């Protein structure tokens, strides 16, 4: 081997040796995302500038542009509607263009070419059951801005191919699994569609308020949905019994419009949702209530402007609020203790709309 | 790397401009051709102190197959924000926004009434004869939208020249074709000018897509476009004092919308979109120039139609009439008074109803030639708009000759002016979001500068430097309120900057050399932003530094043009956390002009982006690397 080759190998070995420095107790090295919060930054619609940020609990450090960092500068290039995480994979659901990006949970490196095509039209949210992903999709626009052809796309996560599409109610949004069933919020209507996983068919449609968007399950396995009202009604937070398929309660805080964003704490006992005051006000609020409460709270816990995302740390109970700052630039995440007192805030990407806690 | 290139270019330029210059065509262009026809903007006389740039006919000839976007980008230091190759191009004059420039054709503002701006890629240079640019606020002269500047497009009739015919055929990279026919006929009484043009391009250029998984080499998808149009000017000289004219311009544009680099994939073809535009503009004028004064009446009709993705229609129509009277009094004062009436009606699917609106203006312009060396302009305009209060917009400008002898001319110029912009029809009437209580955006701008010229029989040199300062209030931004977006008068911006322009014309070793250099430094900041965030940062898509150099060599009947265009770093958002790299683009054009008695054939080969630079004008939009264009233009006189 000539001299140049030898030097090259020496250099190469040295590079390998020095790059593997996994300390046990130091700051989490790049490429591992644990003990922290993944922040979903929606981006401006049509501008392709959605991004992901990761906030590490230890050392209070923040990494913006997680995807770019992990994938040598390539970008998601779309606006991110939501993210769903399993132990191995993270599904990034985007619009404009419509696709499902699949990255490895461990280091956010791309696992496979994004899933896109005629079966993925305006995807919104996802859930995973038994190595199969179920993605709620609005479908194409109908006349006068309606969404009559919404469906759930069924994706086999071993082949990453769409195996089936299941027609649901108009404007499919939030999707949640419980037992052998999937519950899909039909946001352009007033129902929650129920899908039997085995037969991949809709077995029921539960009537609730207009415009259900996001849903959570509580400690008693009851289903809660935040309904925006869809310009028809005021909006409300409804409680649904997923066994009897009936609405159990409806909370309508006076004078506040529900935005549709909803979160629950680690014990699954306390709900949090965002409301937006009527025009010309631009204020938004965070309301909270216990699942045991009998009526709607009438005063908000936190007030501010441009609240766009809500999440609760299951371990600490800290409340994470995404502040979109009007989408004119990078937004902020505000952190509050569970009693509503503010901890701090930090700047992330454009329009933070959701959180995944690791 | 870019600095190195600049040094090399500057060296080349300085070597070539080392000799003396010769009298340019520009001076001849700006003189009156005939006692009753005026070239360029009729308001130029009242713009003392302002920086005005006229694009000469030789330069226009170089851009015949392109659009106004290409012309302005290379010949001025105005930033054109291009959303892809041949795609939507919006103007940014002195750091202001796309709707802050008034663009007028025969006195009609071409800005869309619904959006408030013009896509400069929809104005083919082939359709235009005279392009004049005025920098700075000038609503006193041009009405609404003239906050950052104004562009005046016009044409003047020629008389008694007989038949002239021009035919042009171009072919270029990415399946680009252009055909143009220009037919002029004039005798002592009649003057007719007809133009027909057609351009099409597949626009499937290759590029390295560094933004997607595996960074493949790709072809640009869904970026094909074509446009065609007809323009007819007809003039009839009643007698030596009066003439009538009729101008009609029909333009059709069909364009696929270039997807961003991450969206450049056949699997996303369901989201690919396309847009069609049709514009009809007709103006009839009566001109009377006698010892009593100059009198002009105009009647016009404009119809703008846009169909988005064959689904949603946006159409507005307006009728336009104006009266103007100009007179010279006491040998030192020119007075120009007039009024405009506009009646507008809409046919926009999204509005769900028809909106009608009346917009009228009255104005009075005064130009004082107080001393042979001192010119003063005092102007005022007031608009009256239905359901809306428009501000009064005055302006005051002064042009003082400091030195005039031995072929040197040095002028000191200052101007202070107000500008305003009426909120768009979308801002005011969009269903559920429209805000009828919006105030106009308004501006106050001041320029101070000098212009120096050296002219002798053989050479010409000119240098113009301007410092300006501008404040814009009540800027309209759409903000989300819950899930609905609504426009509000929220922002304030302060902009100041320096513009420098220099021109040389020289003769060297039997070659004619012409050099033009533009440089701007722009400091544009939000002083009041949204929610108190991101103030005092450079405004998005506003480069601090921009410049271009245009070097022309002519040897016997051979031409060589080199254009170097530098666009500085730009920030993408108001918080300046993301930026786009600066870039330097080089274009070369060369070829012979072959004469046959009075007729001639112009052959030009153009090489664009000579150094195959990989750049983004708008974030995530790919642009072509090196590409070629051949133009054959035959003129029969």
């Amino acid at each position: 081997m000539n001299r140049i080759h030898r030097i090259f190998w020496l250099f190469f070995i040295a590079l390998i040796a020095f790059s593997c420095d996994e300390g046990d107790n130091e700051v989490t090295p790049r490429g591992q995302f644990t003990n922290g919060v993944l922040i979903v930054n929606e981006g401006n619609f049509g501008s392709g500038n959605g991004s992901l940020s990761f906030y590490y609990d230890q050392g209070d450090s923040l990494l913006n542009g997680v995807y770019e960092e992990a994938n040598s500068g390539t970008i998601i290039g779309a606006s991110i509607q939501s993210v769903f995480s399993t132990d191995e994979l993270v599904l990034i659901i985007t619009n404009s263009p419509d696709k499902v990006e699949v990255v490895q949970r461990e280091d956010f490196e791309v696992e496979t070419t994004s899933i896109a095509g005629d079966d993925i039209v305006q995807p919104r949210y996802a859930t995973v059951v038994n190595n199969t992903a179920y993605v709620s999709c609005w479908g194409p626009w109908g006349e006068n801005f309606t969404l009559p052809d919404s469906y759930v796309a069924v994706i086999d996560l071993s082949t990453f191919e769409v195996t089936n599409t299941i027609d649901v109610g108009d404007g499919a949004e939030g999707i949640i699994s419980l037992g052998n069933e999937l519950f899909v919020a039909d946001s352009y209507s007033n129902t929650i569609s129920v899908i039997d996983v085995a037969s991949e068919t809709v077995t029921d449609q539960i009537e609730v308020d207009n415009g259900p968007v996001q849903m959570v399950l509580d400690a008693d396995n009851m289903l809660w949905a935040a309904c925006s009202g869809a310009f028809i009604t005021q909006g409300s937070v409804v409680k649904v019994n997923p066994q009897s398929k009936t609405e159990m309660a409806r909370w309508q805080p006076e004078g506040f419009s529900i935005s549709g964003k909803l979160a629950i704490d680690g014990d699954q006992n306390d709900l949090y949702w965002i409301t937006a005051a009527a025009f010309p006000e631009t204020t938004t609020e965070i309301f909270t209530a216990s699942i045991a409460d009998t009526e709607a709270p009438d005063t908000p816990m936190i007030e501010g402007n441009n609240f766009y995302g809500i999440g609760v740390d299951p371990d600490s109970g800290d409340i994470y609020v995404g502040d979109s700052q009007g989408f004119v630039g990078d937004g902020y995440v505000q952190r509050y203790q569970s009693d509503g007192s503010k901890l701090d805030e930090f700047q992330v990407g454009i329009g933070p709309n959701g959180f995944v806690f690791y | 790397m870019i600095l190195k290139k600049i040094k090399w270019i500057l060296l080349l330029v300085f070597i070539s401009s080392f000799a003396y210059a010769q009298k340019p065509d520009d001076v001849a262009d700006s003189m009156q051709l005939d006692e009753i026809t005026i070239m360029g903007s009729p308001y130029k006389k009242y713009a003392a102190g302002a920086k005005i740039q006229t694009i000469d006919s030789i330069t226009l000839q170089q851009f015949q197959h392109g659009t106004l976007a290409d012309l302005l980008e290379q010949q001025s230091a105005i930033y054109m924000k291009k959303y892809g190759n041949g795609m939507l191009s919006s103007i940014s004059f002195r750091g202001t926004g796309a709707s802050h420039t008034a663009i007028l054709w025969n006195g009609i503002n071409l800005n869309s009434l619904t959006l408030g701006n013009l896509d400069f890629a929809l104005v083919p240079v082939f359709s235009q004869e005279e392009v004049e640019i005025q920098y700075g606020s000038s609503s006193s002269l041009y009405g609404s939208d003239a906050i950052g500047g104004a562009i005046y497009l016009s044409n003047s009739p020629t008389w008694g020249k007989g038949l002239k015919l021009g035919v042009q055929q171009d072919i270029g990279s990415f399946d680009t074709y252009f055909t143009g026919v220009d037919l002029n006929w004039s005798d002592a009484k009649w003057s007719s000018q007809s133009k027909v043009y057609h351009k099409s391009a597949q626009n499937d250029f290759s590029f390295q897509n560094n933004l997607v998984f595996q960074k493949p080499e790709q072809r640009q998808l869904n970026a094909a476009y074509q446009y065609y149009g007809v323009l007819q000017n007809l003039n009839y000289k009643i007698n030596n004092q009066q003439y009538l004219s009729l101008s009609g311009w029909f333009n059709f544009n069909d364009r696929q919308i270039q997807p961003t680099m991450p969206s450049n994939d056949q699997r996303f073809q369901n989201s690919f979109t396309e847009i069609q535009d049709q514009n009809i503009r007709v103006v009839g004028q009566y001109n009377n120039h006698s010892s009593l004064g100059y009198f002009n009446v105009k009647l016009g009709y404009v119809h703008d139609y846009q169909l988005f993705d064959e689904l949603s229609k946006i159409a507005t129509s307006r009728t336009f009439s104006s009266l103007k009277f100009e007179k010279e009094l006491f040998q030192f004062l020119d007075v120009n008074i007039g009024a405009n009436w506009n009646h507008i009606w809409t046919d926009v699917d999204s509005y769900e109803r028809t909106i009608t609106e009346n917009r009228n203006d009255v104005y009075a312009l005064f130009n004082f030639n107080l001393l042979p060396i001192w010119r003063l302009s005092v102007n005022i305009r007031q608009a009256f708009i239905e359901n809306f209060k428009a501000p009064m917009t005055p302006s005051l400008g002064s042009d003082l000759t400091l030195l005039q002898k031995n072929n040197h001319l040095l002028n000191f110029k200052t101007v202070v002016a107000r500008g305003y912009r009426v909120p768009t029809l979308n801002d005011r009437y969009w269903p559920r979001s429209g805000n009828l209580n919006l105030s106009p955006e308004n501006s106050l701008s001041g320029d101070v500068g000098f212009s120096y010229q050296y002219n002798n029989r053989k050479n010409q040199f000119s240098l113009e430097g301007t410092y300006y300062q501008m404040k814009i209030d009540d800027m309209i931004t759409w903000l989300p309120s819950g899930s609905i977006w609504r426009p509000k008068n929220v922002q304030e911006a302060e902009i100041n900057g320096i513009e420098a322009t220099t021109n040389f014309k020289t003769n060297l070793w039997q070659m004619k050399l012409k050099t033009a250099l533009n440089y701007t430094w722009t400091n544009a900041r939000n002083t009041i932003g949204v929610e108190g965030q991101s103030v005092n940062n450079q405004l998005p898509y506003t480069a601090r530094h921009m410049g271009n150099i245009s070097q022309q060599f002519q040897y016997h009947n051979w031409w060589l043009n080199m254009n170097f265009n530098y666009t500085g770093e730009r920030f993408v958002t108001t918080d300046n956390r993301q930026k786009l790299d600066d870039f330097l683009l080089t274009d070369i054009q060369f070829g012979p002009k072959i004469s046959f008695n009075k007729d001639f054939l112009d052959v030009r080969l153009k090489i664009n982006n000579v150094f195959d630079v990989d750049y983004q004008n708008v974030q995530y939009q790919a642009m072509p690397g090196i590409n070629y264009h051949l133009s054959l233009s035959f003129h029969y006189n």
Side-chain angles (χ1 to χ4, degrees):
Chain A
M1 199 191 285
N2 68 32
R3 203 189 304 172
I4 302 214
H5 273 167
R6 212 177 299 159
I7 292 172
F8 172 78
W9 277 111
L10 265 169
F11 177 72
F12 187 61
I13 289 163
L15 191 70
I16 303 275
F18 284 113
S19 68
C20 298
D21 62 334
E22 318 266 289
D24 312 75
N25 52 351
E26 281 313 300
V27 173
T28 326
R30 289 249 167 94
Q32 281 200 356
F33 298 93
T34 53
N35 299 320
V37 189
L38 180 71
I39 299 146
V40 181
N41 304 305
E42 193 170 296
N44 297 106
F45 187 80
S47 300
N49 53 18
S51 67
L52 299 172
S53 304
F54 199 86
Y55 176 75
Y56 295 89
D57 294 333
Q58 247 94 344
D60 196 25
S61 73
L62 175 72
L63 176 65
N64 283 318
V66 164
Y67 182 99
E68 290 79 351
E69 193 62 40
N71 292 290
S72 42
T74 60
I75 62 173
I76 296 170
S79 58
I80 307 175
Q81 177 52 37
S82 68
V83 159
F84 188 86
S85 187
T86 68
D87 288 335
E88 279 146 30
L89 297 173
V90 178
L91 303 177
I92 304 169
I93 316 292
T94 75
N95 295 135
S96 192
D98 297 340
K99 61 185 163 132
V100 177
E101 284 270 359
V102 185
V103 301
Q104 292 164 8
R105 157 80 185 82
E106 187 182 37
D107 53 14
F108 278 79
E109 255 185 49
V110 169
E111 168 75 17
T112 179
T113 316
S114 56
I115 305 167
D118 291 334
D119 289 329
I120 305 285
V121 182
Q122 304 203 76
R124 304 294 293 173
Y125 294 86
T127 193
V128 174
V129 181
N130 294 336
N131 210 37
T132 308
Y134 298 88
V135 181
S136 58
C137 297
W138 275 2
W141 289 105
E143 274 188 36
N144 290 330
F145 297 107
T146 54
L147 293 170
D149 297 319
S150 301
Y151 61 93
V152 171
V154 182
I155 303 173
D156 181 336
L157 289 178
S158 41
T159 61
F160 300 111
E161 291 190 0
V162 177
T163 56
N164 194 11
T165 61
I166 309 165
D167 288 337
V168 292
D170 294 2
E173 285 274 46
I175 181 166
I176 270 197
S177 66
L178 178 64
N180 297 324
E181 292 178 311
L182 297 169
F183 295 83
V184 184
D186 305 321
S187 73
Y188 270 51
S189 170
N190 61 346
T191 55
I192 294 175
S193 295
V194 185
I195 296 174
D196 171 55
V197 170
S199 63
E200 292 186 354
T201 55
V202 171
T203 54
D204 215 324
Q205 283 196 316
I206 308 168
E207 202 169 294
V208 291
D209 197 358
N210 290 293
V213 183
Q214 292 189 351
M215 299 181 292
V216 295
L217 286 167
D218 71 13
D220 307 321
N221 272 341
M222 292 286 116
L223 186 70
W224 293 83
C227 301
S228 70
F231 296 116
I232 304 168
T233 57
Q234 171 92 18
S236 58
V237 174
V238 302
K239 176 177 171 180
V240 167
N241 185 326
Q243 310 306 325
S244 66
K245 314 281 193 292
T246 52
E247 180 182 325
M248 309 291 287
R250 184 181 291 200
W251 289 345
Q252 287 171 311
E254 194 69 37
F256 292 99
S257 305
I258 310 280
S259 79
K261 303 257 163 75
L262 180 68
I264 199 162
D265 70 347
D267 299 329
Q268 295 177 283
N269 273 319
D270 292 306
L271 294 162
Y272 298 83
W273 64 89
I274 301 178
T275 55
F279 183 78
E281 302 301 315
T282 54
T283 51
T284 49
E285 300 84 15
I286 308 288
F287 276 81
T288 185
S290 159
I291 61 173
D293 287 352
T294 49
E295 57 179 37
D298 51 14
T299 48
M301 181 174 73
I302 302 168
E303 288 172 309
N305 287 312
N306 295 313
F307 291 162
Y308 198 64
I310 178 93
V312 187
D313 188 331
D315 299 322
S316 63
D318 290 341
I319 304 160
Y320 285 70
V321 179
D323 175 357
S324 74
Q325 297 266 312
F327 285 85
V328 252
D330 285 344
Y332 283 80
V333 169
Q334 297 180 9
R335 297 198 315 149
Y336 296 82
Q337 286 187 313
S338 52
D339 62 2
S341 53
K342 190 164 178 185
L343 281 170
D344 57 17
E345 67 177 30
F346 49 86
Q347 199 166 20
V348 290
I350 299 174
N353 74 8
F355 304 89
V356 181
F357 295 88
Y358 293 122
Chain B
M1 185 53 200
I2 291 204
L3 279 176
K4 253 184 153 171
K5 276 199 190 128
I6 291 177
K7 279 188 197 152
W8 176 80
I9 292 156
L10 281 174
L11 193 67
L12 190 75
V13 164
F14 281 124
I15 288 173
S16 66
S17 347
F18 204 69
Y20 307 112
Q22 106 185 66
K23 203 165 188 292
D25 310 327
D26 310 28
V27 175
D29 281 355
S30 62
M31 290 197 308
Q32 293 188 348
L33 286 182
D34 186 280
E35 73 271 13
I36 59 167
T37 58
I38 301 163
M39 281 184 79
S41 163
Y43 303 110
K44 197 161 46 177
K45 197 190 304 186
Y46 303 92
K51 176 175 157 155
I52 295 180
Q53 181 184 357
T54 309
I55 309 287
D56 67 59
S57 49
I58 297 170
T59 309
L60 276 181
Q61 191 62 38
Q62 293 174 24
F63 291 90
Q64 288 294 292
H65 62 83
T67 65
L68 212 55
D70 310 318
L71 174 72
L72 291 175
E73 187 174 55
Q74 295 205 359
Q75 290 298 314
S76 69
I78 298 172
Y79 175 59
M80 296 302 310
K81 189 174 171 189
K82 289 178 153 176
Y83 289 77
N85 194 37
M87 300 292 127
L88 168 66
S89 302
S90 60
I91 193 169
S92 175
F93 225 131
R94 290 187 168 179
T96 61
S99 54
H100 292 155
T101 298
I103 163 138
L104 297 114
W105 177 76
N106 286 322
I108 299 176
N109 192 331
L110 300 181
N111 279 330
S112 150
L113 292 168
T114 49
L115 292 173
N117 57 46
L118 175 71
D119 179 354
F120 279 72
L122 294 181
V123 182
V125 172
F126 194 83
S127 62
Q128 301 307 324
E129 296 275 297
E130 293 151 18
V131 179
E132 212 159 68
I133 306 169
Q134 180 166 337
Y135 293 72
S137 296
S138 46
S139 288
S140 59
L141 301 178
Y142 301 112
S144 173
D145 308 346
I147 288 181
I151 298 182
Y152 202 87
L153 304 173
S154 56
N155 56 273
S156 329
T158 52
W159 310 96
K161 293 283 194 318
L163 181 70
K164 284 182 188 232
L165 174 68
V167 178
Q168 180 169 337
Q169 179 63 50
D170 287 24
I171 182 171
S173 299
F174 324 126
D175 273 316
T176 305
Y177 301 94
F178 174 82
T179 309
V181 177
D182 188 348
L183 180 68
N184 285 351
W185 186 86
S186 62
D187 64 11
K189 279 272 186 207
W190 290 93
S191 170
S192 161
Q193 184 182 41
S194 317
K195 291 178 197 263
V196 184
Y197 53 86
H198 177 254
K199 183 171 182 185
S200 70
Q202 192 55 40
N203 209 15
D204 53 350
F205 55 92
S206 310
F207 66 98
Q208 174 106 32
N209 196 339
N210 289 322
L211 296 181
V212 302
F213 184 48
Q214 293 168 339
K215 302 191 180 183
E217 177 93 5
Q218 288 183 339
R219 280 205 162 270
Q220 181 64 54
L221 299 171
N222 201 70
Y225 63 88
Q226 71 159 332
Y227 60 75
Y228 57 82
V230 176
L231 196 146
Q232 173 67 48
N233 292 323
L234 189 63
N235 298 278
Y236 174 64
K237 197 192 281 195
I238 301 170
N239 54 41
N240 271 339
Q241 290 181 343
Q242 311 171 61
Y243 77 93
L244 291 170
S245 77
L246 184 66
S247 292
W249 180 17
F250 169 75
N251 196 66
F252 173 81
N253 201 85
D254 190 351
R255 172 207 287 165
Q256 293 179 330
I257 298 186
Q258 178 178 320
T260 56
M261 285 160 73
S263 299
N264 192 44
D265 188 325
Q266 275 301 350
R267 298 176 305 152
F268 303 133
Q269 60 185 318
N270 285 334
S271 61
F272 287 168
T273 50
E274 154 171 7
I275 203 164
Q276 272 182 24
D277 282 89
Q278 280 180 40
N279 309 99
I280 299 171
R281 295 143 180 156
V282 182
V283 177
Q285 298 187 52
Y286 166 72
N287 290 284
N288 184 320
H289 192 115
S290 68
S291 53
L292 289 174
Y294 172 64
F295 182 65
N296 172 288
V297 183
K298 276 195 187 108
L299 279 175
Y301 169 73
V302 174
H303 179 71
D304 293 316
Y305 168 89
Q306 190 177 73
L307 185 65
F308 180 75
D309 233 13
E310 292 174 8
L311 275 180
S312 179
K313 172 181 59 169
I314 299 169
T316 60
S317 312
R318 76 188 111 128
T319 52
F320 164 85
S321 54
S322 76
L323 280 176
K324 174 161 58 185
F325 180 70
E326 186 175 14
K327 188 169 176 63
E328 194 190 319
L329 296 173
F330 316 124
Q331 289 187 327
F332 66 84
L333 170 65
D334 294 295
V335 180
N336 187 330
I337 54 176
N340 302 328
W341 294 269
N342 279 285
H343 177 70
I344 297 163
W345 65 101
T346 68
D347 182 9
V348 178
D349 285 343
S350 303
Y351 288 179
E352 295 162 359
R353 66 199 201 278
T354 305
I355 311 276
T356 63
E357 192 171 270
N358 291 309
R359 296 187 185 179
N360 312 319
D361 276 296
V362 289
Y363 60 88
L365 316 176
F366 303 91
N367 183 45
F368 297 88
N369 293 307
L370 290 172
L371 303 167
I373 58 164
W374 190 28
R375 214 176 106 216
L376 190 70
S377 295
V378 181
N379 307 317
I380 192 149
R381 182 181 284 243
Q382 174 71 60
F384 301 95
I385 299 167
E386 219 172 298
N387 298 325
F388 185 79
K389 193 164 186 304
M392 184 173 320
T393 49
S395 73
L396 177 65
S398 146
D399 202 328
L400 178 67
T401 305
L402 296 176
L403 172 70
Q404 185 173 17
K405 72 173 195 176
N406 290 344
N407 304 323
H408 299 271
L409 179 64
L410 178 64
N411 279 21
F412 175 68
K413 303 155 75 147
T414 58
V415 65
V416 174
R418 286 204 73 187
Y420 78 101
R421 178 177 86 81
V422 183
T424 65
L425 294 179
N426 279 0
D427 289 333
R428 293 162 67 212
Y429 299 109
W430 195 263
R432 285 193 292 269
S433 300
N435 184 355
L436 282 171
N437 295 321
L438 284 171
S439 308
E441 298 185 341
N442 65 80
S443 69
L444 180 64
S445 93
D447 285 23
V448 108
F450 71 91
S451 91
Y452 168 71
Q453 285 183 50
Y454 174 78
N455 254 332
N456 69 22
R457 204 87 65 76
K458 288 192 281 180
N459 321 297
Q460 200 214 16
F461 171 78
S462 74
L463 175 65
E464 191 167 344
T466 311
Y467 170 76
Y468 66 88
Q469 215 164 317
M470 171 160 37
K471 185 160 184 283
I472 311 178
D473 280 336
D474 282 333
M475 279 165 62
I476 295 169
T477 320
W478 283 66
L479 296 173
S481 164
S483 53
I484 311 172
W485 290 64
R486 292 196 167 97
K488 296 182 88 180
N489 294 99
V490 167
Q491 290 178 305
E492 254 179 42
E494 275 180 23
I495 305 174
N496 62 336
I498 293 173
E499 284 156 354
T501 306
T502 178
N503 283 285
F504 305 105
K505 272 199 178 171
T506 117
N507 265 338
L508 187 65
W509 312 320
Q510 296 186 13
M511 274 199 296
K512 289 188 185 158
L513 304 180
K514 183 178 168 212
T515 311
L517 197 152
N518 285 307
Y519 168 73
T520 61
W521 173 78
T522 313
N523 184 22
R525 304 171 312 280
N526 255 347
T527 45
I528 292 181
V530 173
E531 299 303 316
Q533 173 228 15
S534 59
V535 287
N536 291 322
N537 286 325
Q538 184 80 350
L539 289 176
Y541 287 102
T542 307
R544 279 233 158 74
H545 303 278
M546 279 188 53
N548 54 50
I549 298 175
S550 175
Q551 179 63 53
Q552 192 175 296
F553 301 90
Q554 191 189 340
Y555 180 71
H556 296 311
N557 66 327
W558 277 83
W559 292 78
L560 168 65
N561 288 341
M562 299 188 308
N563 266 325
F564 304 95
N565 219 56
Y566 174 73
T567 306
E569 236 173 44
R570 287 136 299 134
F571 294 108
V572 180
T573 49
T574 46
D575 52 28
N576 288 6
R577 276 154 64 98
Q578 279 183 65
K579 72 172 181 14
L580 290 173
D581 288 337
D582 58 351
F583 57 92
L584 176 69
L585 290 177
T586 309
D587 300 330
I588 290 182
Q589 240 190 72
F590 62 91
K593 178 171 163 174
I594 305 166
S595 301
F596 312 95
N597 297 325
K598 285 204 294 176
D599 312 331
F600 62 91
L601 174 70
D602 230 325
V603 180
R604 303 270 179 111
L605 177 63
K606 198 165 175 207
I607 307 174
N608 297 318
N609 196 356
V610 172
F611 297 111
D612 205 21
V613 170
D614 184 6
Y615 69 103
Q616 286 174 30
N617 182 324
V618 168
Q619 192 184 39
Y620 305 148
Q621 292 286 3
M623 296 298 263
I626 184 171
N627 61 87
Y628 308 90
H629 199 101
L630 175 66
S631 173
L632 294 167
S633 160
F634 179 74
H635 298 259
Y636 169 78
N637 289 314

